[in-house]
Amino acid sequence: MADQFLGFDLSTQQLKGIVIKSDLRLVHEAKVDFDADFPKYGIHKGVLTNPSAGEVFAPVAIWLEAIDLVLQRLKEQGADLSKIRGISGAGMQHGTVFWSHDAETLLAGLDGRKSLVEQLSGAANGGQKSAFSHPNSPNWQDASTQNQCERFDAALGSPEKLAQSTGSKAHHRFSGPQILRFREKFPEDYEATSRISLVSSFFASVFLGKVAPIDKGDVCGTNLWDINTGRWHDDLLKLTAGGSDIDGLRTMLGDVYEDGGKSFGSISPYFVKRYGFSSSAQIVTFTGDNPSTILALPLRSSDAIVSLGTSTTFLMSTTRYMPDPAYHFMNHPTTSGLYMFMLCYKNGGLAREHIRDAINSLTPSATPNSWDLFNSTATSTPVLGQENPKSDPQRLGLFFPRPEIVPNVKAGTWRFLYKNDRLSAVNSANDNSSADWPIPKADARAILESQFLSLRLRSQNLVEPQGALPPQPRRIYMVGGGAANSAIAELAGQVLGGSEGVYKLDIGGNACALGAAYKAAWGVQRENDENFEDFLEKRWNEEGFVKKICEGYRKGVFERYGDALKGFAEMEHKAFEEMGEGKLMDQNAGGKVT
Ligand SMILES: Nc1ncnc2c1ncn2[C@@H]1O[C@H](COP(=O)(O)OP(=O)(O)O)[C@@H](O)[C@H]1O
Ligand SMILES: O=C(CO)[C@@H](O)[C@H](O)COP(=O)(O)O
């Protein structure tokens, strides 16, 4: 019987499941789209919001329903789940799930004749016992914890010190500030909580039939884990637990294991009975979606991944731990001594969609949701909006329909013309078009340039000269929903460079789920102490697995975008002065030109 492995990606808007063989080739894939498949929850783009408090959250019940549905869809496609020897998954970073005191009993006693949601979610079983002390999981887009973040940053003395210890300054979405707010806002629910999971360990728990440990990469998204000592940070636990029951909180969070390929045990009998899994299928540590994505490719130093999902993230794997409040460092999910560098933006796919829709609305015959007009408008607009680079000002904009993470500013749109070291604001109101900045057409190129300039500004100290070329990534790999868009890839190459070019994965639609499936295969099949990189290298098929989309570095163009970084950083400072949250811009966003 040929062994197969199952990988999942539980992201903002979808759950994707893929089956691979031992040679890493894809056999089946299926997905569940939360808005389309579960309209009864009233969600939009996967979440519910309470804008007055900055809250963004998702009912955990949706994810339970999605697990049953995606497995059913895999089976309908002909997947033989009895062949699966290992399962791993990726949960969107950084969400938090609160289990009730009944959780372990309910997880252990799941009946294969009933659905997960019926048995685990109190709301769906007529208010009977629920496995959750709170029905919702704060989503990574949540911005309700500014107060708690300030207390976290202050707890160790400064954002720099917190970043030095935990890999990041305090972030709204991280579990530490979220748990602190949860305890203060819902004290009874906190009392009713037995264990706390991240989305990834919640997801592993369902498959395992008991609450699973948090992964060593994903735990770095809590502001509670000391990366240097490899332990929970007592001072930060104390702040979160309110100075009282630190050991209680430590128990709620559980142990974290060094081995990212560790099996936590065999699959829950629920899945054996209901879907025909083998009872020996192993549940291998589930990690965050970003750490999982870096496992989908044999990343070399100076390679970068740009993930264009609901969020935009920029990922690199590095041996250098250089924490800074501007970005995140996390433990590599499989390999000791390596770290994941990450930048994460809330205003990714949805911000681009706003401009796409505004452009489509100018043409009554345009197909709704089509990217064609957005793409042709972006690529036909000159670099930085300058017909004549010598005389025209640069067009620079920030497009944040949601509060942003980098920089930490409230929602807003800023458009500037930059010339002779001076920024002049134009058209901040979206309906106020002018010849200097025609709205929405000029926005198409400007938003892409803006998103990639921000990545370039903040990653410039991590990239190295490539031969005779200036410092830049070697390869840029595009992943996530937006990787299907060749115009976006083109702009990524123009702004960020990439001495070998811009690439995408050519196997299946989802790097993150592939990374999880590869980790499951490694966890089960590795021989002795074989590390993940060697395991992948042996099976990697460069021609079959990746595809070059376009050139990266373009002489002259790359340098013009380099010149634009100064005005871009000044623009961010202006936006921060107007709408920033928290302390100094340099501490919050690292928007410095070096
Ligand atoms: N052809 C395309 N061009 C640009 N963006 C796209 C395209 N197809 C999908 N997207 C974007 O991908 C986003 C979804 O990304 P995906 O990675 O699938 O989801 P998730 O955030 O749930 O992981 C959508 O919000 C959409 O903006
Ligand atoms: O890291 C973060 C948020 O902290 C994001 O990347 C989320 O993990 C969401 O991922 P997508 O839904 O955009 O794939």
Side-chain angles (χ1 to χ4, degrees):
M1 182 181 78
D3 294 342
Q4 298 190 352
F5 299 89
L6 181 52
F8 289 107
D9 170 20
L10 173 47
S11 63
T12 317
Q13 304 186 54
Q14 298 155 70
L15 171 62
K16 297 147 201 150
I18 63 155
V19 178
I20 60 159
K21 291 196 288 190
S22 298
D23 61 3
L24 309 186
R25 283 176 200 279
L26 185 77
V27 219
H28 296 286
E29 59 184 325
K31 75 170 182 188
V32 170
D33 180 305
F34 303 148
D35 285 15
D37 286 308
F38 309 120
K40 66 183 177 198
Y41 288 95
I43 49 171
H44 179 60
K45 305 278 181 190
V47 294
L48 296 168
T49 59
N50 174 14
S52 64
E55 291 173 347
V56 183
F57 49 93
V60 182
I62 295 179
W63 303 335
L64 296 173
E65 295 216 41
I67 294 172
D68 274 326
L69 188 53
V70 82
L71 291 172
Q72 187 188 315
R73 286 186 177 160
L74 281 170
K75 283 199 73 152
E76 282 162 9
Q77 273 191 27
D80 176 357
L81 299 177
S82 70
K83 292 185 179 163
I84 303 292
R85 286 198 55 212
I87 301 171
S88 186
M92 69 185 115
Q93 292 189 298
H94 302 88
T96 311
V97 175
F98 302 94
W99 296 101
S100 72
H101 291 286
D102 292 316
E104 295 284 13
T105 315
L106 291 172
L107 284 168
L110 287 171
D111 177 346
R113 290 164 302 184
K114 298 182 188 161
S115 69
L116 290 170
V117 75
E118 261 179 278
Q119 300 179 77
L120 295 177
S121 152
N125 63 22
Q128 292 167 27
K129 283 182 180 171
S130 170
F132 306 100
S133 58
H134 191 75
N136 301 320
S137 169
N139 180 265
W140 61 272
Q141 297 167 92
D142 185 273
S144 67
T145 57
Q146 181 61 29
N147 166 290
Q148 289 75 14
C149 284
E150 286 169 17
R151 289 152 69 191
F152 262 75
D153 281 336
L156 299 194
S158 67
E160 283 77 10
K161 289 201 170 123
L162 189 66
Q164 186 63 45
S165 285
T166 69
S168 301
K169 76 172 179 76
H171 283 278
H172 292 154
R173 65 200 191 281
F174 276 30
S175 302
Q178 286 291 342
I179 297 168
L180 174 53
R181 183 169 187 266
F182 176 71
R183 182 178 61 74
E184 292 175 341
K185 185 170 180 198
F186 304 107
E188 287 173 10
D189 292 2
Y190 185 77
E191 277 301 306
T193 301
S194 69
R195 296 291 305 272
I196 297 175
S197 285
L198 307 188
V199 178
S200 59
S201 58
F202 147 78
F203 194 19
S205 306
V206 175
F207 281 96
L208 193 61
K210 60 182 180 208
V211 177
I214 294 176
D215 160 71
K216 68 163 179 178
D218 212 5
V219 74
C220 302
T222 60
N223 280 142
L224 293 171
W225 185 255
D226 188 332
I227 292 190
N228 305 298
T229 61
R231 303 162 81 94
W232 296 111
H233 195 299
D234 280 349
D235 294 343
L236 299 168
L237 288 185
K238 195 168 165 189
L239 167 66
T240 311
S244 58
D245 191 5
I246 300 178
D247 288 336
L249 179 56
R250 205 192 308 274
T251 306
M252 282 190 211
L253 292 162
D255 294 329
V256 176
Y257 292 93
E258 180 56 32
D259 177 10
K262 184 177 171 61
S263 167
F264 293 133
S266 304
I267 192 167
S268 153
Y270 172 85
F271 297 94
V272 177
K273 177 160 179 69
R274 197 171 171 96
Y275 299 105
F277 280 93
S278 156
S279 58
S280 63
Q282 296 298 297
I283 306 304
V284 175
T285 321
F286 285 36
T287 187
D289 57 351
N290 298 298
S292 190
T293 298
I294 65 172
L295 301 181
L297 290 154
L299 277 197
R300 287 196 254 157
S301 104
S302 278
D303 287 344
I305 295 180
V306 178
S307 171
L308 302 169
T310 310
S311 62
T312 291
T313 58
F314 180 90
L315 308 167
M316 292 180 78
S317 172
T318 172
T319 51
R320 290 184 290 168
Y321 181 61
M322 301 191 306
D324 185 287
Y327 32 70
H328 309 288
F329 272 91
M330 301 189 185
N331 288 323
H332 190 279
T334 60
T335 311
S336 299
L338 284 182
Y339 298 92
M340 184 181 82
F341 166 81
M342 171 165 109
L343 294 165
C344 176
Y345 299 80
K346 276 185 202 171
N347 291 289
L350 304 185
R352 291 189 292 273
E353 284 175 22
H354 280 166
I355 294 173
R356 173 200 69 185
D357 295 344
I359 289 175
N360 284 345
S361 71
L362 302 176
T363 309
S365 58
T367 314
N369 300 338
S370 162
W371 290 90
D372 293 350
L373 288 173
F374 175 93
N375 290 355
S376 56
T377 310
T379 49
S380 61
T381 301
V383 170
L384 295 160
Q386 295 173 295
E387 293 289 352
N388 182 341
K390 291 211 167 68
S391 57
D392 294 345
Q394 296 169 347
R395 281 190 205 135
L396 295 170
L398 294 172
F399 304 86
F400 299 156
R402 289 232 164 121
E404 187 44 83
I405 300 167
V406 263
N408 185 3
V409 295
K410 295 182 179 141
T413 301
W414 291 265
R415 298 183 184 86
F416 290 96
L417 297 176
Y418 186 69
K419 193 173 175 185
N420 299 333
D421 290 342
R422 282 203 47 229
L423 284 170
S424 34
V426 280
N427 297 328
S428 284
N430 283 325
D431 53 355
N432 194 8
S433 212
S434 79
D436 289 332
W437 194 307
I439 296 172
K441 287 195 168 170
D443 291 349
R445 188 173 187 104
I447 188 174
L448 298 179
E449 291 179 333
S450 172
Q451 294 182 339
F452 295 131
L453 280 170
S454 181
L455 299 180
R456 180 162 165 185
L457 178 65
R458 293 177 170 86
S459 61
Q460 58 190 341
N461 292 337
L462 275 110
V463 289
E464 282 155 10
Q466 303 296 323
L469 299 181
Q472 60 188 287
R474 185 186 74 108
R475 282 188 179 189
I476 293 177
Y477 290 105
M478 310 293 288
V479 302
N485 187 315
S486 55
I488 298 181
E490 172 67 25
L491 265 284
Q494 290 188 21
V495 179
L496 293 167
S499 57
E500 285 194 9
V502 181
Y503 290 73
K504 68 173 182 177
L505 273 171
D506 207 18
I507 15 168
N510 190 269
C512 174
L514 272 176
Y518 295 172
K519 188 144 91 75
W522 171 65
V524 171
Q525 291 195 323
R526 61 188 163 168
E527 283 163 10
N528 305 320
D529 289 334
E530 187 179 24
N531 70 27
F532 181 79
E533 287 73 18
D534 291 343
F535 179 87
L536 195 66
E537 190 69 43
K538 275 190 206 154
R539 291 158 178 80
W540 190 255
N541 171 351
E542 176 74 9
E543 290 70 43
F545 289 3
V546 292
K547 185 173 174 184
K548 185 165 175 176
I549 316 175
C550 62
E551 291 305 325
Y553 177 75
R554 329 284 160 94
K555 192 166 171 50
V557 175
F558 180 81
E559 286 73 13
R560 279 181 65 195
Y561 282 116
D563 293 341
L565 290 176
K566 186 159 178 271
F568 185 83
E570 279 175 31
M571 168 175 66
E572 285 195 338
H573 278 268
K574 269 194 185 292
F576 190 78
E577 273 165 20
E578 277 175 37
M579 300 286 269
E581 296 240 50
K583 302 260 165 47
L584 294 173
M585 169 73 182
D586 280 350
Q587 291 178 332
N588 275 280
K592 294 165 264 188
V593 183
T594 56

